[in-house]
Amino acid sequence: MSFQNYIAGQNVAPAAGRSFVSTNPTTGKPYGTFAESGLADVDCAVRAAVEAGNGPWGKLSPTRRGRLMMAWGDKIAVNAEGIARMESEQNGKLVAEMRAQATVVKEWLYYFGGLADKIEGRVIPVERQSVLNYTLREPLGVVAVIVPWNSPTFLTIMSVAPALAAGNTIVIKPSEITSASAFELVRLAEEAGIPPGVLNVVTGGREAGEALVGHEQVAKISFTGSEGAGRAIAAQAGGRLASCTLELGGKSPNIVFGDATVENAVVGILSGIFAAAGQTCIAGSRAYVHSSIYEEVADRLAQRARAIKLGDPLLAETQMGPVATQAQLAKDEAMVQRALFEGAELLTGGNRVSVPGLEGGYFFQPTILHNVKSENYIMQEEVFGPVLSLTRFNDDDEVLALANGTRFGLAAGLWTRDIRRAHQMAKRLQAGTVWINTYRALAFNSPFGGYKNSGLGRVNGIESLDQFLQTKSVWCEMSEEIQDPFVIKV
């Protein structure tokens, strides 16, 4: 398969004629060829977005804009199976998970489509009674949406939906690992009636990303990805005073207190780290278990981890697919080896594995390290793979210090039947999301984002809409008599 950029409703070849090949991580074989974009390609896409904003999209009523977004959501849901297979073949995640994500994004487009005509200004009662002062809330302009590979459709819509509801136009740069589904999303948007140029796609690596972030007509950057890339984007955007929403890395703790329902906690820990092969920013990669139940929980986790079926993510019986890239596979292996060298103990897993019939795939065993000290490198750095670090604790203050003891603060989970403890800990945990007796729950109307180095701003909920708007204050003198500033009245 071969893909060009998609700009103003047309397939557009890259200006420099360059391309790159993406790989299917399940087989290790090529998936498709994509445009390697540069400054000229990005400029073309941004100009198309500007023109659409000044033209048909900007002239639509907010109500009509919202209805088109809802129609787009319906189109995506109908085509969820094809989108899911496309993404699973590129990132190795279970097709069931990709299908669920492609289906549920309809709810995001319905929610934000419904908010499009609820964006209101206000009249301000200023002291001068002859003056009418009111505010307008207006779109920023062109928004760059830079998307990671782990949940391409879901994370694209989380940024695009509030931006469109606010009246902005978009240039999407998908990850070079999973670029294909972005084209399908934009095609479906135009099929739903969204005008060409409102949504544009340019593919490529760092050069394309830097060109997009640095473009003078890009008013805002919405980025989901690594801490390092987020820092670089914020620095570049800050140089020209462009704003950013950044959803970055995590090292999320999953805390199990002695009074927890053990089976529920075990399921929560497993789903938090192995359901997506650890390839999610909210992965519960650190599990803290009270000493009174540590051995029982560790034993159950190890048994369940050893039983996880690895294989082709397109098959219903597969419970965990490969990691997305060969580089990630090498990283998983290296970080586990370093953790062991620094004193951690291996409970299960820890190695690459060859799956019969898929010998070229990037498979890594579900891995559990235990008795891991807080100073161990793996307790401080994001793995982004199927690796769980397990540690015991004795009291609430101790585990709170351990849980908060990283530079990240994206999410946290806790398991207890003591409701008072649950809410006290939720208040004290330094994380943008805290789950009590559950894990990996998100909703279109609940804000999501990080504390500390896990990001800036929020996606989802009304708060996210505000980040794609700017406020204008309008002053209107209602009196026919204007005071001359050079005449002093006594």
Side-chain angles (χ1 to χ4, degrees):
M1 287 180 287
S2 181
F3 298 82
Q4 298 178 330
N5 291 321
Y6 193 80
I7 300 171
Q10 301 292 324
N11 292 311
V12 179
R18 297 176 299 161
S19 63
F20 67 93
V21 177
S22 72
T23 302
N24 182 330
T26 303
T27 64
K29 297 178 180 178
Y31 173 84
T33 302
F34 297 85
E36 183 68 71
S37 302
L39 181 60
D41 306 296
V42 167
D43 183 64
C44 182
V46 172
R47 290 182 185 279
V50 170
E51 186 175 342
N54 292 334
W57 186 245
K59 293 175 183 177
L60 284 177
S61 71
T63 300
R64 179 60 181 156
R65 201 164 59 227
R67 295 295 187 271
L68 292 177
M69 290 174 62
M70 294 177 189
W72 184 26
D74 290 335
K75 293 281 186 183
I76 296 173
V78 169
N79 290 273
E81 183 65 31
I83 293 169
R85 292 183 68 87
M86 190 181 293
E87 294 184 344
S88 186
E89 288 175 354
Q90 288 196 280
N91 66 10
K93 293 178 74 174
L94 299 184
V95 71
E97 180 180 354
M98 297 294 93
R99 183 190 303 117
Q101 291 183 3
T103 302
V104 80
V105 295
K106 175 179 72 174
E107 305 300 331
W108 267 255
L109 288 163
Y110 265 64
Y111 175 75
F112 285 103
L115 285 177
D117 58 7
K118 314 300 186 298
I119 298 170
E120 301 171 344
R122 61 194 179 101
V123 175
I124 300 171
V126 294
E127 185 177 359
R128 286 171 56 190
Q129 294 297 295
S130 64
V131 170
L132 171 65
N133 178 228
Y134 62 92
T135 61
L136 298 173
R137 301 176 73 201
E138 299 180 335
L140 297 171
V142 179
V143 176
V145 175
I146 303 176
V147 189
W149 50 263
N150 56 331
S151 294
T153 290
F154 188 61
L155 294 174
T156 295
I157 297 302
M158 280 174 61
S159 290
V160 166
L164 286 182
N168 300 282
T169 54
I170 315 290
V171 177
I172 301 168
K173 195 203 85 66
S175 166
E176 54 270 43
I177 298 169
T178 51
S179 295
S181 59
F183 295 100
E184 181 67 2
L185 292 180
V186 174
R187 183 188 70 79
L188 292 171
E190 293 181 7
E191 192 176 294
I194 294 176
V198 174
L199 291 157
N200 307 276
V201 180
V202 292
T203 56
R206 183 170 180 171
E207 182 183 348
E210 289 182 348
L212 195 52
V213 173
H215 199 290
E216 62 181 12
Q217 289 184 290
V218 170
K220 183 179 180 67
I221 299 94
S222 180
F223 170 76
T224 304
S226 71
E227 176 194 12
R231 284 180 180 275
I233 286 169
Q236 185 184 3
R240 60 182 188 84
L241 301 180
S243 66
C244 296
T245 294
L246 305 174
E247 197 267 275
L248 307 178
K251 196 67 189 174
S252 301
N254 219 338
I255 306 167
V256 184
F257 292 94
D259 65 344
T261 302
V262 170
E263 184 55 30
N264 290 348
V266 167
V267 171
I269 292 171
L270 289 167
S271 66
I273 188 63
F274 297 134
Q279 299 174 122
T280 170
C281 55
I282 55 175
S285 56
R286 295 182 294 150
Y288 297 100
V289 181
H290 193 270
S291 296
S292 63
I293 57 171
Y294 182 87
E295 301 301 335
E296 179 185 3
V297 170
D299 183 61
R300 288 199 191 193
L301 286 171
Q303 289 183 42
R304 293 286 298 273
R306 293 185 191 111
I308 292 173
K309 181 175 177 55
L310 277 66
D312 186 342
L314 297 179
L315 300 179
E317 61 266 26
T318 299
Q319 295 175 309
M320 196 176 91
V323 297
T325 66
Q326 198 165 32
Q328 182 61 52
L329 182 63
K331 179 184 177 183
D332 293 347
E333 190 173 46
M335 289 192 73
V336 168
Q337 291 304 311
R338 178 168 177 172
L340 295 174
F341 179 78
E342 293 181 0
E345 300 173 29
L346 184 64
L347 192 60
T348 189
N351 296 299
R352 304 182 185 205
V353 62
S354 179
V355 174
L358 299 171
E359 286 78 9
Y362 309 144
F363 292 91
F364 195 78
Q365 292 176 312
T367 298
I368 302 176
L369 304 168
H370 72 138
N371 294 326
V372 191
K373 303 298 183 185
S374 60
E375 60 271 18
N376 195 304
Y377 180 79
I378 206 165
M379 294 295 275
Q380 299 297 323
E381 301 296 329
E382 189 174 39
V383 181
F384 224 69
V387 181
L388 173 68
S389 298
L390 191 61
T391 301
R392 70 183 74 223
F393 72 92
N394 294 305
D395 60 59
D396 292 11
D397 288 338
E398 177 192 8
V399 77
L400 185 70
L402 291 169
N404 289 339
T406 76
R407 67 184 184 278
F408 297 107
L410 189 57
L414 59 95
W415 303 82
T416 179
R417 283 179 284 187
D418 185 336
I419 196 65
R420 179 177 296 179
R421 166 190 278 153
H423 290 298
Q424 288 175 342
M425 292 296 293
K427 184 175 178 61
R428 298 172 70 190
L429 283 164
Q430 296 169 1
T433 295
V434 177
W435 292 295
I436 299 172
N437 296 328
T438 189
Y439 204 85
R440 293 186 75 199
L442 294 174
F444 51 82
N445 54 356
S446 179
F448 175 77
Y451 281 23
K452 300 189 284 188
N453 286 22
S454 286
L456 299 171
R458 293 293 181 268
V459 296
N460 303 342
I462 293 175
E463 290 90 338
S464 67
L465 190 63
D466 293 335
Q467 294 169 84
F468 294 97
L469 291 162
Q470 54 192 342
T471 301
K472 178 184 290 179
S473 180
V474 179
W475 294 72
C476 178
E477 175 62 63
M478 306 298 289
S479 172
E480 294 184 1
E481 187 176 329
I482 304 299
Q483 181 177 333
D484 188 333
F486 298 104
V487 177
I488 301 175
K489 294 184 179 181
V490 180

